[in-house]
Structure formats: structure tokens, C-alpha cells
Amino acid sequence: MNVRRRWTAAATTAILISAALSHPGPATAAPTAPAPITLTATETALVRVQLRDQAQLDRLVAGGADLANRPRARDGRILADLVLSGAQLTELTAQGATAVQIVQRAGDGTRHFAESVRAAQARTAAGLRAPATSQRTTAATAVDTLQVQQAYWWTTGGQAFVQAQVATTATDDPDVEITVSWRTADGATGSFPLYRFEDSGEYQYHYNLPQPVPSRPVQLTATSSLGGASRVVTPTLWPNATPPPLPAGYQKDFIDAYLTPVDIQARIKRLARQYRDLVDVIDLPNKTQGYRRSAAAYLGDPAVAAVVVESVRFGDQSMNGVQVRTVDPGRRNRPLTVGYRDRVLTVSLATDTAGKTVSTTDEVAAAINARQANRFRATVEDGSAGLPMPVAGPARLDDGLQGTEVPAKPWTVQALRLGVHRDGSRVGVLAYSQEHAREWATPLVTLEFAERMLANARTDPATRELLEQVDIFVIPTVNPDGANYSFNDFNFQRKNLVNHCTGSARDPKNRNSWGVDVNRNYTVGSYFDGYVGASANCLSGTYAGTAELSEAESSNVIALAKAHTNIKFAMNVHSYGGYFMWPPGAYRADGRITLPRPSIDESTLFLNSARRIVGAIAQERGTVTWPSQTGPVADVLYSAAGNSADQLYYELGIFAWDFEVGNDRWNPTTGEWEGVGFQPPFDEAHGESQEYAGGLVEMVRVARDYAAAQAAEG
Ligand SMILES: [Zn+2]
């Protein structure tokens, strides 16, 4: 996470003043304030929060906060999506933050999953397929000059929007206010303020979220509080690229519920059986840990004095149910001893000359580690250091895993390979999803894409031709262990299930914070190389792991790409927020030095391809990815040290993009863009799968066109 981005409230004061002036006269009854958003202390939720200031964001990031999205400006203030407990929200509120939207409560994902499965079963029982989604579609002397760097307009759901990016020459003046005025063809006019955007303490430009306009804007100008004005420009249609229309009879909509890793495995198997001539299933070389954890228990009372005792092996390896206890030997002058018999670990406490037990928590933990190191490890509970060890137990060790239908063994991650010629002779495309466990909509996107290509190959000549020309690789779930944990134990799980923590960080109370961020574990521009946006803290949401490619999940993606050197294009599918991005994805903290920028030619290819793919996404239900969220990761989202796209691009020469599916939805009633979250009601996830699968089909066309152009150049 980039801690140096900065949004300042340049325009806020002016807006408040002008609003006060334009409503003179006696105060009328105050409008009913919306009910404040609260959580119970132990509840966890994904919350859109308006932060007090940049310092508050910096403190959150430094503390390892689980930021779900790039913080954005709203009315000059910082808006961030955070996974928070009720206690954390109360603390933030006390420090001046305001919760503006509960994007998702912890239980919502489970409910949305169950609802999606029930609805799918009902449709199957009725002999119906999932329903096809319908088309939802100045007089003072100027001391600065303004340049409109971007001005785009588009229509989504029948509503026109405009977005502008404007730079002032008064770059050092944080108080410059910039206002954009627009006019439509039929003469309607309006205006909106822009907000100053700094990065690494340096002024970049002014911008705002997309603003609704009654119809196509034909004129746009910007003026500043210093008297500067821009030239009049005509906003450009975004993305202004239309994919070929779907032919009659084109088959789509193969997703009718959320899919767990077990479901995904079954779907891969079914596709391989059904389309034998077009599919290979590739078992990736590195098995994951599996849905497994060591078994642990508190020996003693964590509120008073306790030692955490944990099995070295996983709980399912006959360690669940093992017991641990401390006993008073009942005699004077006894030493501290440790014994293990009949699945019971017994610590006999030392006694003094009066027969009173005298062992401390530290001594008990050290004795277990010294004498039973092959079976157990023990750590003093945080806050219990040096305290007298009570007589306690027996306590039962348990791995705490709730999933009952998940095989407890190492998992083989699989890829689908689709095409007529699966021999490396055709240009290759790789689509991979769910590096982050909680992003449940993302495998729906890649599986819908795969099945569209296969189902239509027999009936649609254009699809057949794509499969003739392109070799397609799909990894629907890169991180199945984390996904199983997300479905069964903790919805907001982002990382994998490997616990590299040591010492008191292994306390079971941290169980929802363990794991490695798979998309921070790659080798290029990594945390280990000094890049920003990953953490060495094993409890952080962006923990980079113990070394580059320390994890099976990341190693699998790279192994597949290296084994198939014809792969020239890749899409890393994440959620949520509605982004379309490419390298560079990381920079160093000092001076914001990014990984090398692509050449002019390659940048052009990235942008032109992006416009085509954004156009294809919009074809489904009118969702338009904003121009301000289309571009290099480091510019439009945040620095993400050690992400997969950067390794694919810089090391393997692959044009590597990232999707964040799940665009904000416009709420015309409130006039706000609303976040959809990681596990929205299934209707929304289904919509995302349909529109972004269309985007992946367009990526295949991009690859085909690229290969044809290369061949023509000879
Ligand atoms: Zn993600």
C-alpha cells in the first residue's frame, strides 16, 4: 500500500461557504440524519470509511490495516474500504472518521453462497438453466494556467457521466481550487469541483470521481481560483471501442452459483470430459499445504496466565484431541518435568521447600520446547510473561477448522489448456484468478470464459477460429486453501493458509491473520528488493512471505508461464473496484522510483488493448471501467511489491494485465458510487462473471491480432 498518496481538501472550505450563502434565511427543519453505521465489538465487516486526514490513513497502513481498495477522494476527504472489527471502527470513529457504507458483513458471504446454491438447485430441479442476464443495461489576472489532461464521457445504465483530469501550473499551491464546467448539446450546463492529487508529496493533477450529466457533454472548461482557465475541450467518448456483436445462438451463462474449490475441481473435470478434443488438464507442480492447521490450545486462562501449546504436525494428522495439562506434584522440592503418554501432555510443576508450585509460564513453555520438540511447540501468551504458572487443564488441542467437506490433504492446483493446437505453435494467453481467497467472483469469471470458448467452438465459426489461432491457459483458483478457509471459517481471508509466524504471533487469537499474500510473493519489484506495498509482518494483509516464491501458489503460476514460452498475454483476475491495469505495479519508497516504464510502443499496445477489453466488458450490462482506473497499477491503484503481473512482464516478457472486477455501482438516489465488495449477492457476482468473461474473450482476440501482425512483419 502506498502511504505517500495524498488528497488534500483544497475545495472543501469553498463548497461549505458557498452552500451556506446560497441557503440564506431562517433555518428550516434539519433533514433526518441517516442512522449511524455501527458494528458490535466482535463483528467484522468490510466498511467504506471517510477518514479524518492523511495522517489517519498513514497510521492505519503502518499498523497493517486490511485495505480492500485504493483510498479515493470524496468531497476532498479520503475514502477507504477497510476490513474492520466493531472495536476498530469505534476507535476510528473516535479519531474523527465516519463510516459511510457497510459494503459487506462477515455473515453476508455465507448467506450469499447458500442462497446461490439453493437457487441453482431449484433451477436444476425445475429443469431450467440460470436465467440469461438482460441488458441493464473570472475577471482577476490569471496567475496560473490549466491544462485538461483527460476529459472523457460515457453512458452506463442510461446515465451519462463525465470525468476530467486537469493540471495547474501553480503546482506548489495546495489551496488552488479548480472547477470544471460542462455544456451539453441541448444547452444544459453545470459544474463540479476537482480535488488535488499528490503522490510521494509531489503534485500530480486535480481530478474527481465520474460525475453524472444529463446527456452527452460537448464542451468542457476548467477554471481555477487563481484566475487560470483551460482551453475549451470536447470530451472524448470512453472507451470508444466496440467488440464484434455476439452471433445469433452464442452460448453463455454457465455460472449459476458461487463455486468452492471442490466445485471448481469438479467443473474442470467435467469440461475435460465434455470437450476432450479441445482441453488438457494440467496439474501444476507444487502441491499446496491443504486445508490444514496445527492443533492448539491455551494451557491456563489467557485472561490471567497462559501458555499456548501447539502440535508440530497438522491437527488432522491425529493431533486434534490431544490433551495438555499442568499438575501439582503434591510433594516438596520437585523439579519441573514434562511427559507425554496416551495422547496427554503432562507438565508437572516445580515446587519449593514448602511444597508450593513455583514454575513460571516461561519455564513451562521452555520445558515443553526442550523436551517435546518433535511433537509440540509452546509460547507464552502475550501478557503472561514471567507469571506464575497455574495448575490447569486438561485442555484439548484442536485445529479449529470448520469445513467438513474439504479434503484435509495437500491440494493439486489445476489449469485448463484450451485450443485446437495445444503444442506451443500458437500464441498463448493465460487467465488466472483467486490469488486472493475472498475474491469469490473471480473464478466465476475465468470458468465462464473457458466454457464460452469450448461450448461455442462447435457452433460459432469465430470462436472456432480463435481456438485455432490461440493456446489458452486458465487457472481458476490459484489459492484453494485460502478459498476453503474463506468459505468455511472466515469470509475475509485474503492470504493462503501457510503460517510463518513465530512466538506470540502464533497465538490462536490471530488465526484469521495468518498466511502469505500470494500476490506479494513474486520476484520482481518485491518487498525483498525494497519496493513499497508489502509487509514483513506475518499478520499483515500484505505479508510477502519468508522469501520470493516461498509459496506453492505463486510458484505454480510462474512454473506454468515458464513451461509454456508461447504465452504472450496474461490476465490476473482480482476483485473488487473496477480497475484495468498493467505494469509497472510497484515503486521504491524513496523518490517513488517505479519499475521501468514500458516503451512507447508497448504502452500504446497496453492502452489500445485496454480500450478494446473495457469496451467488451461494457457490452454485457453497460459497466464502464473509468478512465481514471485504467492504467499502470502504480498510478491507478497502489504500489504492490512483488505482484505476479510484474514478474510475468519484466522477467518473462508477457503482456500482463490485472482486472479488479466488481465496479462501483451508481446510486442515483444518493448520488454516490457504491462499492460491491468481495462476496456480493449472487446476482451481482453473476453479472461480474458475464461481463468480465466477455473481456477475456476480447483479450484472446487481442492476442490473435498481435500474432497475425507479428507474422505479417515476418
Ligand atoms: Zn486481490
Side-chain angles (χ1 to χ4, degrees), residues 299 309 319 322-327 335-349 363-376 394-395 397:
L299 179 56
V309 180
M319 294 309 286
V322 163
Q323 294 180 25
V324 55
R325 59 179 181 163
T326 47
V327 296
L336 177 64
T337 64
V338 175
Y340 183 63
R341 257 191 87 173
D342 297 334
R343 293 170 58 78
V344 180
L345 177 68
T346 301
V347 180
S348 181
L349 301 174
E363 287 163 355
V364 168
I368 294 171
N369 289 330
R371 290 165 218 171
Q372 287 288 329
N374 57 334
R375 285 199 191 89
F376 301 98
L397 268 58

Side-chain angles (χ1 to χ4, degrees), residues 68 434-439 442 494 517 519-520 572-576 638 659-660 678:
Q434 208 168 32
E435 281 185 323
H436 292 146
R438 63 193 175 193
E439 298 168 8
T442 62
R494 166 183 168 97
D517 184 344
N519 203 28
R520 299 295 183 277
N572 181 13
V573 185
H574 287 256
S575 74
Y576 62 92
Y638 42 56
F659 277 156
E660 293 276 355
F678 298 111

Side-chain angles (χ1 to χ4, degrees), residues 298 302-304 306-308 379-385 387 504-505 507 509-510:
Y298 291 108
V304 184
V307 167
V308 174
T379 48
V380 178
E381 190 267 342
D382 223 0
S384 295
L387 296 178
S504 62
D507 189 312
K509 75 179 179 203
N510 294 320

Side-chain angles (χ1 to χ4, degrees), residues 199-387:
D199 195 355
S200 277
E202 278 178 34
Y203 172 72
Q204 305 290 315
Y205 48 76
H206 281 66
Y207 90 117
N208 201 342
L209 301 185
Q211 302 292 309
V213 285
S215 59
R216 179 189 159 200
V218 293
Q219 268 190 14
L220 182 148
T221 54
T223 53
S224 94
S225 54
L226 297 178
S230 74
R231 295 167 47 175
V232 177
V233 301
T234 302
T236 310
L237 181 63
W238 173 262
N240 200 22
T242 313
L246 298 178
Y250 189 82
Q251 299 171 72
K252 60 192 185 81
D253 205 348
F254 300 99
I255 300 295
D256 58 6
Y258 277 118
L259 299 173
T260 67
V262 172
D263 298 330
I264 290 168
Q265 219 172 31
R267 179 71 65 108
I268 288 172
K269 201 169 171 185
R270 196 257 288 163
L271 291 175
R273 218 173 34 233
Q274 195 172 345
Y275 301 100
R276 218 174 279 278
D277 53 329
L278 293 173
V279 176
D280 293 325
V281 176
I282 301 172
D283 287 345
L284 298 181
N286 307 286
K287 283 188 198 295
T288 65
Q289 169 186 290
Y291 178 67
R292 301 191 297 175
R293 276 206 162 145
S294 60
Y298 291 108
L299 179 56
D301 179 354
V304 184
V307 167
V308 174
V309 180
E310 180 190 346
S311 63
V312 169
R313 288 186 297 170
F314 292 114
D316 60 275
Q317 294 171 311
S318 70
M319 294 309 286
N320 283 331
V322 163
Q323 294 180 25
V324 55
R325 59 179 181 163
T326 47
V327 296
D328 180 342
R331 294 166 63 191
R332 291 176 293 158
N333 289 322
R334 303 307 300 170
L336 177 64
T337 64
V338 175
Y340 183 63
R341 257 191 87 173
D342 297 334
R343 293 170 58 78
V344 180
L345 177 68
T346 301
V347 180
S348 181
L349 301 174
T351 53
D352 62 12
T353 51
K356 182 175 174 299
T357 63
V358 292
S359 300
T360 66
T361 50
D362 299 72
E363 287 163 355
V364 168
I368 294 171
N369 289 330
R371 290 165 218 171
Q372 287 288 329
N374 57 334
R375 285 199 191 89
F376 301 98
R377 64 188 141 212
T379 48
V380 178
E381 190 267 342
D382 223 0
S384 295
L387 296 178

